[in-house]
Amino acid sequence: MDEYRDNDVLVPSWIHKNSTEMADSQLFVISCFVAGLVGILTILYTAFQWRKNINLSWMKAIDKSNKEPKSRNNVLISPHCWNLESVYRGKSINCCACLESVAPSQALGPVVGSDAFIHRCWICGAVAHLGCSNNAPKDCKCISMFGLKSVLHQWTVLWTEVNDESSVCSYCDEPCSASLLGGSPIWQCLWCQRLVHVDCHGSMLSETGDVCDLGPSRRLILSPLYVKKSSKTSGGFLSSITHGANEIASSVRASIRNQNKKHKKGYQSPFDIGKSSFSDVSAESNGSTSKPVNSSSRTGEYDDGADNVSHFSEHNGEVKAMDKVNSFKRGLSFNKDEAHSKGMEQIYELIDFPSEARPLLVFINKKSGAQRGDLLRQKLNFLLNPVQICELSSTQGPEAGLSLFRGVSHFRVLVCGGDGTVGWVLDTIEKQGFISPPPVAILPAGTGNDLARVLSWGAGLGSIERQGGLCTFLHDIEHAAVTLLDRWKVSITDKQGKALQPAKFLNNYLGVGCDAKVALEIHNLREENPEKFYSQFMNKVLYAREGARSIMDRTYANLPWQLKVEVDGCEIEVPEDAEGIIVANIGSYMGGVDLWHNEDESYDNFNPQSMHDKVLEVVSISGMWHLGKLQVGLSRACRLAQGHSIKIRLFSGFPVQIDGEPWFQQSCTLSISHHGQAFMLKRAVEQPLGHAAAIITDVLENAESNQVISSSQKRLLLQEMALRLS
């Protein structure tokens, strides 16, 4: 028994406690843990608020102390061009006037009235409360510096935090990322994108004189030194612009007051459902609200305010559109496409442009498949000169931008859109009659982006982000190689040879039958419900859905007996199971499908496919199920022929599509013949061949500038180089 007692002494006392005491002990431990966790979170939150207040105090002090020096140093003054847009609760954005957060103050309940909107400058991206925008500093990007000897830095407060640890001050080489307790605020140049601590700016100013070299993309940027306000613009015209902008602002304020009344009566704001903000990088929606309103008064020696306000030239007619809007159901979304593109051509002109510059002319189609035009426009405005960026619309084509650049010896074109937008721009360039047409690069913002794929620019906007973003993309454009793209003319005639409609031009492919049927159904659905096509991913989902519906549909099972295909004058036998005929010029179809497969060695009697060999490839597909297997690489199209000219005779009505643009065609003859070749830019991904082509292109352009060779000789040499290096 004594031995048992000795063993009991060695057992911990808590084992002898009953279950109630043990439960109390566990509850005490859990309570201590929760209390400690709450304490830690409270300390972190307090430190975060402390840091936020310190940074805000810093910015207020710096902003106040730098107003006088700016006026003494004759810094460029340019008022902002405000757009009205909705705001999300919780956005970490500060007003550029009062430096307070623009996030709505209500913790719960709907966002109403003026709290639901902010002003954002569509040029530089600064934001302000509706009541603060008139008092905002006039530090927007100055579009024109004509008359100055050199470009000056335009410093603006970097409102968002710099999370990239590699971002350093351009003067002291110290990191610009914010510390826990804050530090010197950061300024960023609107032209070269260099960062500088505000504390370092004084020393930098005394050493360099604030001269800006436009940064790493200087050859692509349209220098403001050569942009001049056109003498054709009169004071009366500007007065009408200002008057129209004032009317718009009054209409917006009245709409906001009416919205407040509705909320007092229990009306629920449609913005609670969620509208995408202009500045949301991850947004795929085109529902951002934008409406220009009048800028604040302009002062200063170098005042670009008249230039900026002049962008409202196309908005006078939109006041009528306000009368059609009875509520904020669509977030006050107004179209301002023409306000920039057409206005730039009328208000600005390029004077004494240097021959060594290679500026980039950008065309943006906001209605392309990815629906990211607003976001791209804002980013490109910051990286380039807003004058060189043109928006395309149903009433404004590429003619305005090409006319503005007519006197520039060498420039490049960037098309932000899908394959249809690229074809639109290529058609317009051809009509302009350039002796040496500008080469065209593509920022893939459509649904399929087949031409961008074969030119190595990527499959969509996501691929641009993965490759380093827009800065890396602009660098790739500057060092891209020039190549050629065959363009084909498609004539549509009846039995007597009479044209049934104007000729069309083919860059990528032509389809007849089941594939064109799906494209036509998607086109009709887009016309009826455009709100469903708000992103590239959703567009592909809808394509897949329509394709799945047509798998069991054998509508065109009789296609081989309802058409004839002639290649170079010889009739080609169409397989009996064919439900679609595709004529391809490039090696990508419907979002990356390779119809020809150059690596396939089982076809000894066919040549590899090329987009500049003046030869087309003809294949057949046996229904939507076959097309679906092509998409995932489980099958291949049936090769039929290669040729220089192709005729397709339709004996009954069929859906037809060219480069993704479909229509229903009654019996006719489709005649396809070579039309010409266009200069395109291909991303130099192959080392060293791609870079060699880019260097040769630059040498030829310099030789033309120095009058060593003529424009026609340069064009012939570029064509020969593209053929040999490909």
mmCIF file with all atom_site columns, all heavy atoms in Angstrom, residues 321-332:
data_model
loop_
_atom_site.group_PDB
_atom_site.id
_atom_site.type_symbol
_atom_site.label_atom_id
_atom_site.label_alt_id
_atom_site.label_comp_id
_atom_site.label_asym_id
_atom_site.label_entity_id
_atom_site.label_seq_id
_atom_site.pdbx_PDB_ins_code
_atom_site.Cartn_x
_atom_site.Cartn_y
_atom_site.Cartn_z
_atom_site.occupancy
_atom_site.B_iso_or_equiv
_atom_site.pdbx_formal_charge
_atom_site.auth_seq_id
_atom_site.auth_comp_id
_atom_site.auth_asym_id
_atom_site.auth_atom_id
_atom_site.pdbx_PDB_model_num
ATOM 1  N N   . ALA A 1 321 ? -28.633 63.608 -74.683 1.00 0.00 ? 321 ALA A N   1
ATOM 2  C CA  . ALA A 1 321 ? -28.693 62.240 -74.167 1.00 0.00 ? 321 ALA A CA  1
ATOM 3  C C   . ALA A 1 321 ? -29.066 62.209 -72.702 1.00 0.00 ? 321 ALA A C   1
ATOM 4  O O   . ALA A 1 321 ? -29.651 61.245 -72.219 1.00 0.00 ? 321 ALA A O   1
ATOM 5  C CB  . ALA A 1 321 ? -27.352 61.537 -74.379 1.00 0.00 ? 321 ALA A CB  1
ATOM 6  N N   . MET A 1 322 ? -28.760 63.285 -71.980 1.00 0.00 ? 322 MET A N   1
ATOM 7  C CA  . MET A 1 322 ? -29.105 63.330 -70.565 1.00 0.00 ? 322 MET A CA  1
ATOM 8  C C   . MET A 1 322 ? -30.614 63.291 -70.368 1.00 0.00 ? 322 MET A C   1
ATOM 9  O O   . MET A 1 322 ? -31.117 62.776 -69.369 1.00 0.00 ? 322 MET A O   1
ATOM 10 C CB  . MET A 1 322 ? -28.536 64.608 -69.934 1.00 0.00 ? 322 MET A CB  1
ATOM 11 C CG  . MET A 1 322 ? -27.023 64.600 -69.751 1.00 0.00 ? 322 MET A CG  1
ATOM 12 S SD  . MET A 1 322 ? -26.530 63.458 -68.465 1.00 0.00 ? 322 MET A SD  1
ATOM 13 C CE  . MET A 1 322 ? -27.313 64.213 -67.056 1.00 0.00 ? 322 MET A CE  1
ATOM 14 N N   . ASP A 1 323 ? -31.342 63.886 -71.330 1.00 0.00 ? 323 ASP A N   1
ATOM 15 C CA  . ASP A 1 323 ? -32.791 63.907 -71.182 1.00 0.00 ? 323 ASP A CA  1
ATOM 16 C C   . ASP A 1 323 ? -33.390 62.515 -71.290 1.00 0.00 ? 323 ASP A C   1
ATOM 17 O O   . ASP A 1 323 ? -34.504 62.275 -70.822 1.00 0.00 ? 323 ASP A O   1
ATOM 18 C CB  . ASP A 1 323 ? -33.404 64.818 -72.256 1.00 0.00 ? 323 ASP A CB  1
ATOM 19 C CG  . ASP A 1 323 ? -32.917 66.248 -72.112 1.00 0.00 ? 323 ASP A CG  1
ATOM 20 O OD1 . ASP A 1 323 ? -32.596 66.645 -70.978 1.00 0.00 ? 323 ASP A OD1 1
ATOM 21 O OD2 . ASP A 1 323 ? -32.857 66.957 -73.135 1.00 0.00 ? 323 ASP A OD2 1
ATOM 22 N N   . LYS A 1 324 ? -32.646 61.592 -71.915 1.00 0.00 ? 324 LYS A N   1
ATOM 23 C CA  . LYS A 1 324 ? -33.171 60.240 -72.085 1.00 0.00 ? 324 LYS A CA  1
ATOM 24 C C   . LYS A 1 324 ? -32.908 59.356 -70.883 1.00 0.00 ? 324 LYS A C   1
ATOM 25 O O   . LYS A 1 324 ? -33.396 58.250 -70.810 1.00 0.00 ? 324 LYS A O   1
ATOM 26 C CB  . LYS A 1 324 ? -32.537 59.605 -73.332 1.00 0.00 ? 324 LYS A CB  1
ATOM 27 C CG  . LYS A 1 324 ? -32.817 60.385 -74.617 1.00 0.00 ? 324 LYS A CG  1
ATOM 28 C CD  . LYS A 1 324 ? -32.142 59.712 -75.805 1.00 0.00 ? 324 LYS A CD  1
ATOM 29 C CE  . LYS A 1 324 ? -32.386 60.481 -77.082 1.00 0.00 ? 324 LYS A CE  1
ATOM 30 N NZ  . LYS A 1 324 ? -31.728 59.851 -78.233 1.00 0.00 ? 324 LYS A NZ  1
ATOM 31 N N   . VAL A 1 325 ? -32.094 59.842 -69.973 1.00 0.00 ? 325 VAL A N   1
ATOM 32 C CA  . VAL A 1 325 ? -31.742 59.039 -68.805 1.00 0.00 ? 325 VAL A CA  1
ATOM 33 C C   . VAL A 1 325 ? -32.650 59.430 -67.656 1.00 0.00 ? 325 VAL A C   1
ATOM 34 O O   . VAL A 1 325 ? -32.561 60.522 -67.129 1.00 0.00 ? 325 VAL A O   1
ATOM 35 C CB  . VAL A 1 325 ? -30.261 59.248 -68.424 1.00 0.00 ? 325 VAL A CB  1
ATOM 36 C CG1 . VAL A 1 325 ? -29.920 58.378 -67.235 1.00 0.00 ? 325 VAL A CG1 1
ATOM 37 C CG2 . VAL A 1 325 ? -29.374 58.932 -69.611 1.00 0.00 ? 325 VAL A CG2 1
ATOM 38 N N   . ASN A 1 326 ? -33.523 58.559 -67.239 1.00 0.00 ? 326 ASN A N   1
ATOM 39 C CA  . ASN A 1 326 ? -34.481 58.864 -66.178 1.00 0.00 ? 326 ASN A CA  1
ATOM 40 C C   . ASN A 1 326 ? -33.989 58.479 -64.795 1.00 0.00 ? 326 ASN A C   1
ATOM 41 O O   . ASN A 1 326 ? -34.561 58.867 -63.798 1.00 0.00 ? 326 ASN A O   1
ATOM 42 C CB  . ASN A 1 326 ? -35.808 58.134 -66.459 1.00 0.00 ? 326 ASN A CB  1
ATOM 43 C CG  . ASN A 1 326 ? -36.408 58.570 -67.772 1.00 0.00 ? 326 ASN A CG  1
ATOM 44 O OD1 . ASN A 1 326 ? -36.360 59.745 -68.113 1.00 0.00 ? 326 ASN A OD1 1
ATOM 45 N ND2 . ASN A 1 326 ? -36.986 57.641 -68.511 1.00 0.00 ? 326 ASN A ND2 1
ATOM 46 N N   . SER A 1 327 ? -32.969 57.666 -64.736 1.00 0.00 ? 327 SER A N   1
ATOM 47 C CA  . SER A 1 327 ? -32.456 57.247 -63.438 1.00 0.00 ? 327 SER A CA  1
ATOM 48 C C   . SER A 1 327 ? -31.007 56.860 -63.597 1.00 0.00 ? 327 SER A C   1
ATOM 49 O O   . SER A 1 327 ? -30.419 56.999 -64.658 1.00 0.00 ? 327 SER A O   1
ATOM 50 C CB  . SER A 1 327 ? -33.252 56.056 -62.894 1.00 0.00 ? 327 SER A CB  1
ATOM 51 O OG  . SER A 1 327 ? -33.049 54.938 -63.723 1.00 0.00 ? 327 SER A OG  1
ATOM 52 N N   . PHE A 1 328 ? -30.406 56.342 -62.518 1.00 0.00 ? 328 PHE A N   1
ATOM 53 C CA  . PHE A 1 328 ? -29.014 55.922 -62.562 1.00 0.00 ? 328 PHE A CA  1
ATOM 54 C C   . PHE A 1 328 ? -28.905 54.419 -62.801 1.00 0.00 ? 328 PHE A C   1
ATOM 55 O O   . PHE A 1 328 ? -27.974 53.772 -62.333 1.00 0.00 ? 328 PHE A O   1
ATOM 56 C CB  . PHE A 1 328 ? -28.315 56.264 -61.241 1.00 0.00 ? 328 PHE A CB  1
ATOM 57 C CG  . PHE A 1 328 ? -28.018 57.717 -61.084 1.00 0.00 ? 328 PHE A CG  1
ATOM 58 C CD1 . PHE A 1 328 ? -28.856 58.510 -60.336 1.00 0.00 ? 328 PHE A CD1 1
ATOM 59 C CD2 . PHE A 1 328 ? -26.902 58.273 -61.674 1.00 0.00 ? 328 PHE A CD2 1
ATOM 60 C CE1 . PHE A 1 328 ? -28.582 59.846 -60.180 1.00 0.00 ? 328 PHE A CE1 1
ATOM 61 C CE2 . PHE A 1 328 ? -26.629 59.603 -61.520 1.00 0.00 ? 328 PHE A CE2 1
ATOM 62 C CZ  . PHE A 1 328 ? -27.476 60.396 -60.777 1.00 0.00 ? 328 PHE A CZ  1
ATOM 63 N N   . LYS A 1 329 ? -29.846 53.843 -63.550 1.00 0.00 ? 329 LYS A N   1
ATOM 64 C CA  . LYS A 1 329 ? -29.843 52.403 -63.717 1.00 0.00 ? 329 LYS A CA  1
ATOM 65 C C   . LYS A 1 329 ? -28.579 51.917 -64.393 1.00 0.00 ? 329 LYS A C   1
ATOM 66 O O   . LYS A 1 329 ? -28.119 50.830 -64.137 1.00 0.00 ? 329 LYS A O   1
ATOM 67 C CB  . LYS A 1 329 ? -31.065 51.972 -64.540 1.00 0.00 ? 329 LYS A CB  1
ATOM 68 C CG  . LYS A 1 329 ? -32.369 52.111 -63.770 1.00 0.00 ? 329 LYS A CG  1
ATOM 69 C CD  . LYS A 1 329 ? -33.535 51.643 -64.600 1.00 0.00 ? 329 LYS A CD  1
ATOM 70 C CE  . LYS A 1 329 ? -34.848 51.758 -63.857 1.00 0.00 ? 329 LYS A CE  1
ATOM 71 N NZ  . LYS A 1 329 ? -35.984 51.324 -64.664 1.00 0.00 ? 329 LYS A NZ  1
ATOM 72 N N   . ARG A 1 330 ? -28.049 52.734 -65.278 1.00 0.00 ? 330 ARG A N   1
ATOM 73 C CA  . ARG A 1 330 ? -26.838 52.328 -65.974 1.00 0.00 ? 330 ARG A CA  1
ATOM 74 C C   . ARG A 1 330 ? -25.639 53.128 -65.501 1.00 0.00 ? 330 ARG A C   1
ATOM 75 O O   . ARG A 1 330 ? -24.639 53.225 -66.184 1.00 0.00 ? 330 ARG A O   1
ATOM 76 C CB  . ARG A 1 330 ? -26.991 52.492 -67.486 1.00 0.00 ? 330 ARG A CB  1
ATOM 77 C CG  . ARG A 1 330 ? -28.084 51.605 -68.043 1.00 0.00 ? 330 ARG A CG  1
ATOM 78 C CD  . ARG A 1 330 ? -28.042 51.580 -69.560 1.00 0.00 ? 330 ARG A CD  1
ATOM 79 N NE  . ARG A 1 330 ? -29.079 50.734 -70.097 1.00 0.00 ? 330 ARG A NE  1
ATOM 80 C CZ  . ARG A 1 330 ? -28.959 49.440 -70.267 1.00 0.00 ? 330 ARG A CZ  1
ATOM 81 N NH1 . ARG A 1 330 ? -27.855 48.837 -69.922 1.00 0.00 ? 330 ARG A NH1 1
ATOM 82 N NH2 . ARG A 1 330 ? -29.945 48.734 -70.770 1.00 0.00 ? 330 ARG A NH2 1
ATOM 83 N N   . GLY A 1 331 ? -25.724 53.719 -64.323 1.00 0.00 ? 331 GLY A N   1
ATOM 84 C CA  . GLY A 1 331 ? -24.564 54.357 -63.721 1.00 0.00 ? 331 GLY A CA  1
ATOM 85 C C   . GLY A 1 331 ? -24.078 55.592 -64.433 1.00 0.00 ? 331 GLY A C   1
ATOM 86 O O   . GLY A 1 331 ? -22.890 55.876 -64.440 1.00 0.00 ? 331 GLY A O   1
ATOM 87 N N   . LEU A 1 332 ? -24.990 56.348 -65.066 1.00 0.00 ? 332 LEU A N   1
ATOM 88 C CA  . LEU A 1 332 ? -24.600 57.545 -65.792 1.00 0.00 ? 332 LEU A CA  1
ATOM 89 C C   . LEU A 1 332 ? -23.491 57.255 -66.805 1.00 0.00 ? 332 LEU A C   1
ATOM 90 O O   . LEU A 1 332 ? -22.547 58.007 -66.961 1.00 0.00 ? 332 LEU A O   1
ATOM 91 C CB  . LEU A 1 332 ? -24.120 58.634 -64.818 1.00 0.00 ? 332 LEU A CB  1
ATOM 92 C CG  . LEU A 1 332 ? -25.198 59.266 -63.939 1.00 0.00 ? 332 LEU A CG  1
ATOM 93 C CD1 . LEU A 1 332 ? -24.555 60.225 -62.949 1.00 0.00 ? 332 LEU A CD1 1
ATOM 94 C CD2 . LEU A 1 332 ? -26.223 59.996 -64.765 1.00 0.00 ? 332 LEU A CD2 1
#
